[in-house]
Short mmCIF file of all heavy atoms in Angstrom, two decimals:
data_model
loop_
_atom_site.label_atom_id
_atom_site.label_comp_id
_atom_site.label_asym_id
_atom_site.label_seq_id
_atom_site.Cartn_x
_atom_site.Cartn_y
_atom_site.Cartn_z
N MET A 1 9.63 0.85 20.00
CA MET A 1 9.45 -0.61 19.89
C MET A 1 9.21 -1.14 21.26
O MET A 1 9.85 -0.76 22.23
CB MET A 1 10.74 -1.18 19.28
CG MET A 1 10.49 -2.40 18.33
SD MET A 1 9.39 -2.05 16.95
CE MET A 1 10.60 -1.64 15.69
N GLU A 2 8.27 -2.08 21.39
CA GLU A 2 8.02 -2.69 22.66
C GLU A 2 8.11 -4.20 22.55
O GLU A 2 7.80 -4.76 21.47
CB GLU A 2 6.55 -2.38 23.12
CG GLU A 2 6.35 -0.88 23.22
CD GLU A 2 5.61 -0.53 24.53
OE1 GLU A 2 5.12 -1.39 25.24
OE2 GLU A 2 5.61 0.69 24.84
N THR A 3 8.50 -4.84 23.61
CA THR A 3 8.52 -6.34 23.61
C THR A 3 7.55 -6.83 24.67
O THR A 3 7.54 -6.30 25.78
CB THR A 3 9.95 -6.82 23.90
OG1 THR A 3 10.81 -6.38 22.84
CG2 THR A 3 9.98 -8.37 23.96
N VAL A 4 6.76 -7.83 24.32
CA VAL A 4 5.78 -8.38 25.25
C VAL A 4 5.82 -9.92 25.15
O VAL A 4 6.09 -10.47 24.09
CB VAL A 4 4.36 -7.82 24.89
CG1 VAL A 4 3.85 -8.32 23.60
CG2 VAL A 4 3.37 -8.14 26.03
N GLN A 5 5.61 -10.51 26.27
CA GLN A 5 5.46 -11.96 26.40
C GLN A 5 3.99 -12.24 26.50
O GLN A 5 3.32 -11.64 27.29
CB GLN A 5 6.18 -12.54 27.64
CG GLN A 5 7.71 -12.53 27.50
CD GLN A 5 8.23 -13.72 26.77
OE1 GLN A 5 7.52 -14.73 26.58
NE2 GLN A 5 9.48 -13.65 26.39
N ALA A 6 3.47 -13.20 25.76
CA ALA A 6 2.09 -13.55 25.86
C ALA A 6 1.88 -15.06 25.87
O ALA A 6 2.74 -15.81 25.38
CB ALA A 6 1.32 -12.95 24.64
N GLN A 7 0.81 -15.46 26.40
CA GLN A 7 0.41 -16.87 26.35
C GLN A 7 -0.32 -17.13 25.09
O GLN A 7 -1.09 -16.28 24.61
CB GLN A 7 -0.51 -17.14 27.58
CG GLN A 7 -0.84 -18.63 27.75
CD GLN A 7 -1.73 -18.83 28.94
OE1 GLN A 7 -1.63 -18.11 29.91
NE2 GLN A 7 -2.58 -19.84 28.85
N VAL A 8 -0.09 -18.26 24.42
CA VAL A 8 -0.80 -18.64 23.23
C VAL A 8 -1.45 -19.99 23.42
O VAL A 8 -0.74 -21.03 23.61
CB VAL A 8 0.10 -18.67 22.00
CG1 VAL A 8 -0.63 -19.05 20.73
CG2 VAL A 8 0.88 -17.37 21.82
N ASN A 9 -2.77 -20.01 23.37
CA ASN A 9 -3.52 -21.29 23.55
C ASN A 9 -3.96 -21.87 22.23
O ASN A 9 -4.20 -21.14 21.25
CB ASN A 9 -4.77 -20.97 24.41
CG ASN A 9 -4.40 -20.58 25.80
OD1 ASN A 9 -3.41 -21.01 26.36
ND2 ASN A 9 -5.26 -19.78 26.44
N GLY A 10 -4.03 -23.19 22.21
CA GLY A 10 -4.61 -23.85 21.04
C GLY A 10 -3.62 -24.47 20.08
O GLY A 10 -4.02 -25.06 19.05
N MET A 11 -2.26 -24.33 20.36
CA MET A 11 -1.31 -24.90 19.44
C MET A 11 -1.07 -26.39 19.78
O MET A 11 -0.97 -26.73 20.94
CB MET A 11 0.05 -24.19 19.55
CG MET A 11 -0.04 -22.72 19.22
SD MET A 11 1.62 -21.93 19.21
CE MET A 11 2.07 -22.06 20.94
N HIS A 12 -0.98 -27.21 18.71
CA HIS A 12 -0.80 -28.64 18.95
C HIS A 12 0.38 -29.18 18.23
O HIS A 12 0.84 -30.37 18.49
CB HIS A 12 -2.06 -29.44 18.63
CG HIS A 12 -3.21 -29.00 19.43
ND1 HIS A 12 -3.35 -29.19 20.77
CD2 HIS A 12 -4.34 -28.27 19.04
CE1 HIS A 12 -4.48 -28.67 21.17
NE2 HIS A 12 -5.06 -28.11 20.17
N CYS A 13 0.99 -28.50 17.28
CA CYS A 13 2.16 -29.00 16.59
C CYS A 13 2.95 -27.88 16.04
O CYS A 13 2.53 -26.72 16.11
CB CYS A 13 1.76 -30.04 15.49
SG CYS A 13 1.27 -29.30 13.94
N ALA A 14 4.16 -28.20 15.55
CA ALA A 14 5.09 -27.17 15.08
C ALA A 14 4.57 -26.34 13.91
O ALA A 14 4.94 -25.25 13.69
CB ALA A 14 6.40 -27.76 14.74
N ALA A 15 3.63 -26.97 13.14
CA ALA A 15 3.04 -26.21 12.03
C ALA A 15 2.16 -25.08 12.58
O ALA A 15 2.06 -24.00 11.91
CB ALA A 15 2.24 -27.13 11.10
N CYS A 16 1.58 -25.30 13.70
CA CYS A 16 0.72 -24.25 14.34
C CYS A 16 1.60 -23.06 14.70
O CYS A 16 1.30 -21.89 14.34
CB CYS A 16 0.11 -24.73 15.65
SG CYS A 16 -1.14 -26.01 15.49
N SER A 17 2.68 -23.28 15.46
CA SER A 17 3.51 -22.20 15.88
C SER A 17 4.20 -21.57 14.65
O SER A 17 4.32 -20.31 14.61
CB SER A 17 4.58 -22.68 16.87
OG SER A 17 5.23 -23.88 16.38
N GLY A 18 4.54 -22.33 13.65
CA GLY A 18 5.16 -21.80 12.44
C GLY A 18 4.21 -20.89 11.71
O GLY A 18 4.61 -19.85 11.13
N ARG A 19 2.91 -21.25 11.67
CA ARG A 19 1.90 -20.45 11.00
C ARG A 19 1.73 -19.11 11.67
O ARG A 19 1.66 -18.09 10.98
CB ARG A 19 0.61 -21.24 11.00
CG ARG A 19 -0.35 -20.89 9.90
CD ARG A 19 -1.15 -22.09 9.42
NE ARG A 19 -1.74 -22.86 10.49
CZ ARG A 19 -2.99 -22.68 10.93
NH1 ARG A 19 -3.72 -21.78 10.38
NH2 ARG A 19 -3.48 -23.42 11.93
N ILE A 20 1.72 -19.08 12.98
CA ILE A 20 1.62 -17.85 13.72
C ILE A 20 2.83 -16.96 13.44
O ILE A 20 2.66 -15.78 13.14
CB ILE A 20 1.42 -18.11 15.22
CG1 ILE A 20 0.13 -18.80 15.48
CG2 ILE A 20 1.48 -16.78 16.00
CD1 ILE A 20 -0.03 -19.34 16.95
N GLU A 21 4.01 -17.56 13.50
CA GLU A 21 5.21 -16.73 13.29
C GLU A 21 5.21 -16.19 11.85
O GLU A 21 5.59 -15.04 11.66
CB GLU A 21 6.48 -17.64 13.45
CG GLU A 21 6.76 -17.94 14.88
CD GLU A 21 8.01 -18.77 15.13
OE1 GLU A 21 8.48 -19.44 14.17
OE2 GLU A 21 8.51 -18.69 16.25
N ARG A 22 4.80 -16.95 10.84
CA ARG A 22 4.87 -16.47 9.49
C ARG A 22 3.83 -15.34 9.28
O ARG A 22 4.16 -14.29 8.72
CB ARG A 22 4.61 -17.61 8.57
CG ARG A 22 4.71 -17.28 7.08
CD ARG A 22 4.81 -18.53 6.20
NE ARG A 22 4.00 -19.62 6.69
CZ ARG A 22 2.66 -19.75 6.45
NH1 ARG A 22 2.06 -18.79 5.74
NH2 ARG A 22 1.98 -20.76 6.88
N VAL A 23 2.58 -15.57 9.73
CA VAL A 23 1.53 -14.59 9.47
C VAL A 23 1.72 -13.32 10.27
O VAL A 23 1.66 -12.24 9.75
CB VAL A 23 0.12 -15.27 9.76
CG1 VAL A 23 -0.95 -14.20 9.68
CG2 VAL A 23 -0.15 -16.32 8.72
N VAL A 24 1.91 -13.50 11.61
CA VAL A 24 2.08 -12.28 12.42
C VAL A 24 3.39 -11.61 12.09
O VAL A 24 3.47 -10.34 12.08
CB VAL A 24 2.02 -12.65 13.90
CG1 VAL A 24 2.32 -11.49 14.79
CG2 VAL A 24 0.61 -13.25 14.21
N GLY A 25 4.41 -12.37 11.74
CA GLY A 25 5.69 -11.75 11.41
C GLY A 25 5.62 -10.87 10.18
O GLY A 25 6.51 -9.98 10.03
N LYS A 26 4.65 -11.03 9.34
CA LYS A 26 4.50 -10.20 8.13
C LYS A 26 3.61 -8.97 8.39
O LYS A 26 3.53 -8.15 7.49
CB LYS A 26 3.79 -11.03 7.05
CG LYS A 26 4.75 -11.80 6.16
CD LYS A 26 4.02 -12.38 4.95
CE LYS A 26 4.32 -13.82 4.80
NZ LYS A 26 3.38 -14.54 3.90
N MET A 27 3.01 -8.88 9.56
CA MET A 27 2.13 -7.75 9.82
C MET A 27 2.95 -6.45 9.93
O MET A 27 4.04 -6.44 10.53
CB MET A 27 1.35 -7.93 11.11
CG MET A 27 0.26 -9.00 11.06
SD MET A 27 -0.58 -9.16 12.68
CE MET A 27 -1.62 -7.70 12.68
N ASP A 28 2.41 -5.36 9.38
CA ASP A 28 3.00 -4.03 9.57
C ASP A 28 3.21 -3.76 11.06
O ASP A 28 2.26 -3.91 11.80
CB ASP A 28 2.04 -3.00 8.96
CG ASP A 28 2.43 -2.60 7.55
OD1 ASP A 28 3.36 -3.28 7.00
OD2 ASP A 28 1.87 -1.69 7.02
N GLY A 29 4.33 -3.27 11.39
CA GLY A 29 4.61 -2.87 12.75
C GLY A 29 5.15 -3.97 13.65
O GLY A 29 5.52 -3.75 14.77
N VAL A 30 5.13 -5.23 13.14
CA VAL A 30 5.72 -6.30 13.91
C VAL A 30 7.15 -6.44 13.53
O VAL A 30 7.48 -6.69 12.37
CB VAL A 30 4.94 -7.63 13.67
CG1 VAL A 30 5.64 -8.78 14.39
CG2 VAL A 30 3.51 -7.51 14.19
N ASP A 31 8.04 -6.30 14.49
CA ASP A 31 9.46 -6.37 14.26
C ASP A 31 9.94 -7.82 14.34
O ASP A 31 10.68 -8.29 13.40
CB ASP A 31 10.22 -5.49 15.29
CG ASP A 31 11.69 -5.50 14.98
OD1 ASP A 31 12.08 -5.06 13.88
OD2 ASP A 31 12.46 -5.91 15.84
N SER A 32 9.53 -8.53 15.35
CA SER A 32 9.90 -9.94 15.40
C SER A 32 8.92 -10.68 16.31
O SER A 32 8.27 -10.10 17.17
CB SER A 32 11.33 -10.08 16.01
OG SER A 32 11.29 -9.74 17.38
N ILE A 33 8.75 -11.98 16.03
CA ILE A 33 7.97 -12.86 16.84
C ILE A 33 8.63 -14.15 16.94
O ILE A 33 9.13 -14.70 15.93
CB ILE A 33 6.50 -12.99 16.27
CG1 ILE A 33 5.69 -13.99 17.09
CG2 ILE A 33 6.50 -13.35 14.78
CD1 ILE A 33 4.22 -14.05 16.78
N SER A 34 8.66 -14.71 18.12
CA SER A 34 9.14 -16.05 18.38
C SER A 34 8.17 -16.80 19.22
O SER A 34 7.87 -16.42 20.32
CB SER A 34 10.55 -15.87 19.06
OG SER A 34 11.00 -17.17 19.42
N VAL A 35 7.63 -17.87 18.68
CA VAL A 35 6.63 -18.70 19.35
C VAL A 35 7.30 -19.92 19.96
O VAL A 35 8.04 -20.62 19.24
CB VAL A 35 5.49 -19.09 18.39
CG1 VAL A 35 4.47 -19.94 19.12
CG2 VAL A 35 4.83 -17.83 17.77
N ASN A 36 7.00 -20.21 21.21
CA ASN A 36 7.49 -21.38 21.90
C ASN A 36 6.35 -22.36 22.04
O ASN A 36 5.49 -22.18 22.90
CB ASN A 36 8.12 -20.98 23.27
CG ASN A 36 8.78 -22.16 23.92
OD1 ASN A 36 8.24 -23.24 23.89
ND2 ASN A 36 9.91 -21.93 24.56
N LEU A 37 6.33 -23.36 21.19
CA LEU A 37 5.26 -24.34 21.15
C LEU A 37 5.07 -25.04 22.49
O LEU A 37 3.95 -25.16 23.04
CB LEU A 37 5.51 -25.35 20.03
CG LEU A 37 4.59 -26.56 19.98
CD1 LEU A 37 3.18 -26.13 19.63
CD2 LEU A 37 5.11 -27.51 18.92
N ALA A 38 6.20 -25.52 23.07
CA ALA A 38 6.13 -26.33 24.30
C ALA A 38 5.67 -25.48 25.51
O ALA A 38 4.85 -25.92 26.32
CB ALA A 38 7.48 -26.96 24.64
N ALA A 39 6.13 -24.27 25.54
CA ALA A 39 5.75 -23.39 26.65
C ALA A 39 4.42 -22.66 26.44
O ALA A 39 3.86 -22.05 27.31
CB ALA A 39 6.87 -22.33 26.93
N GLU A 40 3.90 -22.79 25.18
CA GLU A 40 2.65 -22.08 24.76
C GLU A 40 2.80 -20.57 25.05
O GLU A 40 1.86 -19.94 25.63
CB GLU A 40 1.45 -22.67 25.48
CG GLU A 40 1.19 -24.10 25.07
CD GLU A 40 -0.10 -24.66 25.67
OE1 GLU A 40 -0.12 -25.04 26.90
OE2 GLU A 40 -1.11 -24.63 24.95
N THR A 41 3.87 -20.03 24.61
CA THR A 41 4.12 -18.59 24.82
C THR A 41 4.68 -17.98 23.50
O THR A 41 5.07 -18.73 22.57
CB THR A 41 5.11 -18.26 25.92
OG1 THR A 41 6.34 -18.90 25.63
CG2 THR A 41 4.62 -18.75 27.24
N MET A 42 4.66 -16.69 23.45
CA MET A 42 5.37 -16.02 22.36
C MET A 42 6.00 -14.76 22.89
O MET A 42 5.56 -14.13 23.88
CB MET A 42 4.45 -15.69 21.19
CG MET A 42 3.41 -14.66 21.50
SD MET A 42 2.43 -14.20 20.05
CE MET A 42 1.23 -13.12 20.80
N ALA A 43 7.12 -14.40 22.26
CA ALA A 43 7.82 -13.11 22.52
C ALA A 43 7.59 -12.26 21.25
O ALA A 43 7.87 -12.73 20.13
CB ALA A 43 9.28 -13.32 22.78
N LEU A 44 7.07 -11.09 21.47
CA LEU A 44 6.69 -10.28 20.35
C LEU A 44 7.33 -8.86 20.50
O LEU A 44 7.23 -8.29 21.56
CB LEU A 44 5.15 -10.11 20.44
CG LEU A 44 4.39 -9.38 19.37
CD1 LEU A 44 4.43 -10.08 18.05
CD2 LEU A 44 2.91 -9.28 19.82
N THR A 45 8.01 -8.40 19.44
CA THR A 45 8.52 -7.04 19.47
C THR A 45 7.78 -6.26 18.36
O THR A 45 7.77 -6.76 17.19
CB THR A 45 10.04 -7.07 19.23
OG1 THR A 45 10.64 -7.79 20.27
CG2 THR A 45 10.58 -5.59 19.28
N TYR A 46 7.16 -5.16 18.74
CA TYR A 46 6.33 -4.49 17.79
C TYR A 46 6.34 -2.97 18.08
O TYR A 46 6.81 -2.52 19.12
CB TYR A 46 4.92 -4.97 17.88
CG TYR A 46 4.20 -4.58 19.16
CD1 TYR A 46 3.24 -3.57 19.18
CD2 TYR A 46 4.59 -5.17 20.39
CE1 TYR A 46 2.62 -3.22 20.37
CE2 TYR A 46 3.92 -4.75 21.58
CZ TYR A 46 2.99 -3.78 21.55
OH TYR A 46 2.37 -3.42 22.70
N ASP A 47 5.91 -2.19 17.06
CA ASP A 47 5.78 -0.76 17.21
C ASP A 47 4.35 -0.35 17.51
O ASP A 47 3.51 -0.42 16.64
CB ASP A 47 6.26 -0.12 15.88
CG ASP A 47 6.18 1.42 15.92
OD1 ASP A 47 5.78 1.99 16.99
OD2 ASP A 47 6.48 2.02 14.88
N PRO A 48 4.09 0.04 18.77
CA PRO A 48 2.73 0.36 19.17
C PRO A 48 2.17 1.57 18.40
O PRO A 48 0.89 1.75 18.43
CB PRO A 48 2.81 0.64 20.60
CG PRO A 48 4.27 0.74 21.01
CD PRO A 48 5.03 0.18 19.83
N ASP A 49 2.94 2.35 17.74
CA ASP A 49 2.42 3.43 16.92
C ASP A 49 1.86 2.93 15.61
O ASP A 49 1.15 3.62 14.88
CB ASP A 49 3.51 4.48 16.64
CG ASP A 49 3.96 5.23 17.92
OD1 ASP A 49 3.12 5.35 18.82
OD2 ASP A 49 5.09 5.61 17.96
N THR A 50 2.24 1.71 15.24
CA THR A 50 1.83 1.15 13.92
C THR A 50 0.78 0.07 14.07
O THR A 50 -0.16 0.00 13.26
CB THR A 50 3.07 0.54 13.19
OG1 THR A 50 4.02 1.56 13.09
CG2 THR A 50 2.70 0.06 11.77
N VAL A 51 0.93 -0.74 15.09
CA VAL A 51 0.01 -1.85 15.25
C VAL A 51 -0.29 -2.06 16.78
O VAL A 51 0.55 -1.77 17.57
CB VAL A 51 0.61 -3.12 14.62
CG1 VAL A 51 1.79 -3.66 15.40
CG2 VAL A 51 -0.45 -4.23 14.47
N SER A 52 -1.58 -2.45 17.08
CA SER A 52 -1.91 -2.71 18.43
C SER A 52 -1.95 -4.16 18.82
O SER A 52 -1.99 -5.01 17.95
CB SER A 52 -3.30 -2.07 18.70
OG SER A 52 -4.30 -2.86 18.04
N LEU A 53 -1.88 -4.40 20.08
CA LEU A 53 -1.99 -5.80 20.52
C LEU A 53 -3.37 -6.38 20.22
O LEU A 53 -3.49 -7.58 19.93
CB LEU A 53 -1.71 -5.91 22.03
CG LEU A 53 -0.24 -5.63 22.44
CD1 LEU A 53 -0.14 -5.85 23.98
CD2 LEU A 53 0.71 -6.56 21.72
N ASP A 54 -4.39 -5.52 20.18
CA ASP A 54 -5.71 -5.97 19.82
C ASP A 54 -5.67 -6.51 18.34
O ASP A 54 -6.33 -7.56 18.04
CB ASP A 54 -6.71 -4.79 19.86
CG ASP A 54 -7.38 -4.71 21.18
OD1 ASP A 54 -7.09 -5.53 22.10
OD2 ASP A 54 -8.26 -3.83 21.34
N GLU A 55 -5.06 -5.79 17.44
CA GLU A 55 -4.97 -6.20 16.06
C GLU A 55 -4.19 -7.49 15.93
O GLU A 55 -4.60 -8.40 15.16
CB GLU A 55 -4.32 -5.10 15.20
CG GLU A 55 -5.17 -3.89 15.05
CD GLU A 55 -4.43 -2.70 14.42
OE1 GLU A 55 -3.31 -2.37 14.84
OE2 GLU A 55 -5.02 -2.14 13.46
N ILE A 56 -3.11 -7.62 16.68
CA ILE A 56 -2.29 -8.81 16.57
C ILE A 56 -3.07 -9.98 17.17
O ILE A 56 -3.14 -11.06 16.63
CB ILE A 56 -0.96 -8.64 17.35
CG1 ILE A 56 -0.09 -7.62 16.60
CG2 ILE A 56 -0.17 -9.92 17.45
CD1 ILE A 56 1.11 -7.11 17.38
N GLY A 57 -3.73 -9.71 18.27
CA GLY A 57 -4.55 -10.78 18.92
C GLY A 57 -5.65 -11.26 18.01
O GLY A 57 -5.96 -12.46 17.98
N SER A 58 -6.31 -10.36 17.29
CA SER A 58 -7.42 -10.78 16.50
C SER A 58 -6.97 -11.50 15.22
O SER A 58 -7.58 -12.41 14.73
CB SER A 58 -8.40 -9.63 16.15
OG SER A 58 -7.87 -8.80 15.22
N ARG A 59 -5.74 -11.17 14.73
CA ARG A 59 -5.18 -11.96 13.63
C ARG A 59 -4.88 -13.35 14.07
O ARG A 59 -5.09 -14.31 13.37
CB ARG A 59 -3.91 -11.21 13.14
CG ARG A 59 -3.38 -11.71 11.85
CD ARG A 59 -4.25 -11.32 10.70
NE ARG A 59 -3.95 -11.98 9.46
CZ ARG A 59 -4.37 -13.21 9.17
NH1 ARG A 59 -5.10 -13.89 10.04
NH2 ARG A 59 -4.03 -13.77 8.02
N ILE A 60 -4.34 -13.51 15.29
CA ILE A 60 -4.05 -14.80 15.86
C ILE A 60 -5.36 -15.59 16.06
O ILE A 60 -5.42 -16.84 15.81
CB ILE A 60 -3.24 -14.72 17.12
CG1 ILE A 60 -1.82 -14.22 16.78
CG2 ILE A 60 -3.22 -16.01 17.90
CD1 ILE A 60 -0.99 -13.87 18.02
N LYS A 61 -6.39 -14.95 16.46
CA LYS A 61 -7.68 -15.53 16.65
C LYS A 61 -8.26 -16.06 15.34
O LYS A 61 -8.84 -17.13 15.22
CB LYS A 61 -8.67 -14.58 17.30
CG LYS A 61 -9.98 -15.23 17.74
CD LYS A 61 -10.86 -14.25 18.48
CE LYS A 61 -12.16 -14.91 18.85
NZ LYS A 61 -13.16 -13.93 19.42
N ASP A 62 -8.07 -15.27 14.26
CA ASP A 62 -8.46 -15.66 12.88
C ASP A 62 -7.76 -16.98 12.50
O ASP A 62 -8.34 -17.77 11.69
CB ASP A 62 -8.09 -14.61 11.86
CG ASP A 62 -8.95 -13.36 11.95
OD1 ASP A 62 -10.01 -13.43 12.61
OD2 ASP A 62 -8.54 -12.34 11.37
N LEU A 63 -6.55 -17.18 12.99
CA LEU A 63 -5.84 -18.40 12.67
C LEU A 63 -6.31 -19.59 13.49
O LEU A 63 -5.91 -20.74 13.25
CB LEU A 63 -4.34 -18.21 12.90
CG LEU A 63 -3.61 -17.20 11.96
CD1 LEU A 63 -2.16 -16.98 12.44
CD2 LEU A 63 -3.62 -17.69 10.55
N GLY A 64 -7.12 -19.35 14.50
CA GLY A 64 -7.68 -20.43 15.27
C GLY A 64 -7.06 -20.54 16.67
O GLY A 64 -7.27 -21.58 17.30
N PHE A 65 -6.25 -19.60 17.07
CA PHE A 65 -5.60 -19.67 18.35
C PHE A 65 -6.03 -18.49 19.21
O PHE A 65 -6.77 -17.58 18.77
CB PHE A 65 -4.05 -19.65 18.14
CG PHE A 65 -3.60 -20.68 17.16
CD1 PHE A 65 -3.25 -20.31 15.84
CD2 PHE A 65 -3.57 -22.01 17.44
CE1 PHE A 65 -2.85 -21.28 14.93
CE2 PHE A 65 -3.15 -23.00 16.55
CZ PHE A 65 -2.84 -22.61 15.27
N GLU A 66 -5.55 -18.54 20.44
CA GLU A 66 -5.91 -17.44 21.39
C GLU A 66 -4.63 -16.88 22.04
O GLU A 66 -3.85 -17.66 22.60
CB GLU A 66 -6.87 -17.98 22.47
CG GLU A 66 -7.23 -16.93 23.49
CD GLU A 66 -8.03 -17.51 24.66
OE1 GLU A 66 -7.67 -18.65 25.07
OE2 GLU A 66 -8.95 -16.89 25.15
N ALA A 67 -4.47 -15.61 21.89
CA ALA A 67 -3.31 -14.94 22.54
C ALA A 67 -3.77 -14.18 23.77
O ALA A 67 -4.76 -13.46 23.68
CB ALA A 67 -2.62 -14.02 21.56
N LEU A 68 -3.12 -14.39 24.86
CA LEU A 68 -3.48 -13.70 26.13
C LEU A 68 -2.32 -12.82 26.46
O LEU A 68 -1.27 -13.32 26.90
CB LEU A 68 -3.76 -14.74 27.24
CG LEU A 68 -4.93 -15.66 27.01
CD1 LEU A 68 -5.03 -16.66 28.09
CD2 LEU A 68 -6.21 -14.87 26.87
N PHE A 69 -2.51 -11.52 26.31
CA PHE A 69 -1.45 -10.53 26.61
C PHE A 69 -1.52 -10.16 28.09
O PHE A 69 -2.61 -10.11 28.67
CB PHE A 69 -1.64 -9.33 25.76
CG PHE A 69 -1.42 -9.59 24.27
CD1 PHE A 69 -2.54 -9.67 23.45
CD2 PHE A 69 -0.16 -9.84 23.75
CE1 PHE A 69 -2.40 -9.95 22.09
CE2 PHE A 69 -0.01 -10.14 22.45
CZ PHE A 69 -1.15 -10.20 21.59
N PRO A 70 -0.37 -9.84 28.69
CA PRO A 70 -0.45 -9.36 30.08
C PRO A 70 -1.21 -8.04 30.14
O PRO A 70 -1.31 -7.31 29.20
CB PRO A 70 1.03 -9.13 30.41
CG PRO A 70 1.78 -9.07 29.12
CD PRO A 70 0.94 -9.79 28.10
N GLU A 71 -1.75 -7.78 31.34
CA GLU A 71 -2.54 -6.57 31.61
C GLU A 71 -1.69 -5.32 31.34
O GLU A 71 -0.58 -5.24 31.80
CB GLU A 71 -3.10 -6.50 33.03
CG GLU A 71 -4.04 -7.67 33.33
CD GLU A 71 -5.37 -7.52 32.61
OE1 GLU A 71 -5.98 -6.43 32.74
OE2 GLU A 71 -5.76 -8.43 31.92
MO1 9UX B 101 -0.68 -29.32 13.59
MO2 9UX B 101 -1.99 -26.90 14.26
O1 9UX B 101 -1.26 -30.95 12.71
O2 9UX B 101 -3.65 -26.10 13.85
S1 9UX B 101 -1.02 -27.40 12.37
S2 9UX B 101 -2.29 -29.05 15.11
#
């Protein structure tokens, strides 16, 4: 399991952050996600053997937001 902090762009209200938490939280391999609307960040704990940051990022993009993971 790995934990990563990422920037999340495009959120404007609590329904945005709630939507990301609900959808990404249900993805296989995602253990937990906590989105901070005010800080425009999220803390993500996931299993890299099951799901990649690319997959998580593109799911977030599908929702209309942009996740920027650290290098
Ligand atoms: Mo709030 Mo987010 O009205 O796409 S749900 S801005």
Side-chain angles (χ1 to χ4, degrees):
M1 217 58 94
E2 302 226 349
T3 298
V4 67
Q5 286 277 345
Q7 186 179 330
V8 182
N9 293 330
M11 300 186 293
H12 301 291
C13 81
C16 292
S17 49
R19 205 145 50 94
I20 295 171
E21 285 182 339
R22 183 165 39 80
V23 170
V24 174
K26 271 191 229 162
M27 288 178 76
D28 263 6
V30 174
D31 183 60
S32 69
I33 176 172
S34 175
V35 178
N36 186 320
L37 172 65
E40 296 187 281
T41 59
M42 67 176 174
L44 182 69
T45 301
Y46 69 106
D47 177 1
D49 293 331
T50 305
V51 69
S52 68
L53 291 183
D54 268 3
E55 290 170 311
I56 293 169
S58 73
R59 194 69 192 82
I60 289 172
K61 191 176 178 187
D62 288 344
L63 293 173
F65 308 103
E66 179 188 37
L68 298 175
F69 297 104
E71 296 292 306

